[in-house]
Amino acid sequence: MLGLMLQRAMIRLNNRVTRWRRVKVAPGRVLLLLAHCLQSSACGRNLTREGGDGCARCGKCPVDALLGVRDRTGVLFHVVGGGRQALARVRDDDVDAVVAVACERELIQGIFGAFPKPILAIGNTRAQGDCHDTLTDVAEVEAAVRELIRT
Ligand code: SF4
């Protein structure tokens, strides 16, 4: 498996190429795609089945604030349980561009699997360890979404 530093370098390169392409699409064709590990492990809501509407917006995990990004920008929103689900959603016909938040390993898989669709990939932070209760910089996510949408 690629080392973390190499994975991060590949993600930076991908994001640079995506920005270089100057992609601008309608908000409704940009997908904000989240790994389910951003959801609080104490939360019983099934977001991978019910989507953003399954969240009670209690503010105890980043999903609430990320739904705020969706609401302010009008993009598509999807929470996935793993790489295979993510690839299937990214390849759907209603998606022209993607902002993805996940661990580096899944982001790399997604970047290759979704090619040539443009992806801005944002790594999560894992203060509690891998795969649960991860965090992300919501302002960075919103900025990435706004880079891709045509206003
Ligand atoms: S914001 Fe609250 S309800 Fe929504 S996923 Fe997080 S913990 Fe669950």
Side-chain angles (χ1 to χ4, degrees), residues 58-146:
C58 74
K60 289 181 180 158
C61 79
V63 173
D64 184 14
L66 291 164
L67 280 166
V69 175
R70 176 201 65 176
D71 295 344
R72 285 190 292 279
T73 59
V75 296
L76 303 167
F77 184 96
H78 204 90
V79 180
V80 288
R84 196 171 302 179
Q85 273 180 24
L87 279 185
R89 185 67 186 99
V90 163
R91 288 174 178 157
D92 281 343
D93 288 342
D94 63 336
V95 175
D96 286 338
V98 181
V99 175
V101 185
C103 66
E104 289 80 0
R105 183 177 53 83
E106 294 206 338
L107 289 173
I108 299 266
Q109 287 174 358
I111 288 165
F112 282 113
F115 185 83
K117 287 191 181 178
I119 296 186
L120 287 177
I122 298 172
N124 57 20
T125 53
R126 303 182 282 277
Q128 308 297 322
D130 288 349
C131 301
H132 67 96
D133 299 306
T134 61
L135 298 171
T136 192
D137 181 340
V138 175
E140 183 184 359
V141 174
E142 181 157 355
V145 166
R146 291 188 185 280

Side-chain angles (χ1 to χ4, degrees), residues 38-47 52 54-65 67 79:
L38 287 157
Q39 180 180 9
S40 166
S41 59
C43 176
R45 303 272 169 164
N46 190 334
L47 302 188
C55 172
R57 310 290 300 264
C58 74
K60 289 181 180 158
C61 79
V63 173
D64 184 14
L67 280 166
V79 180

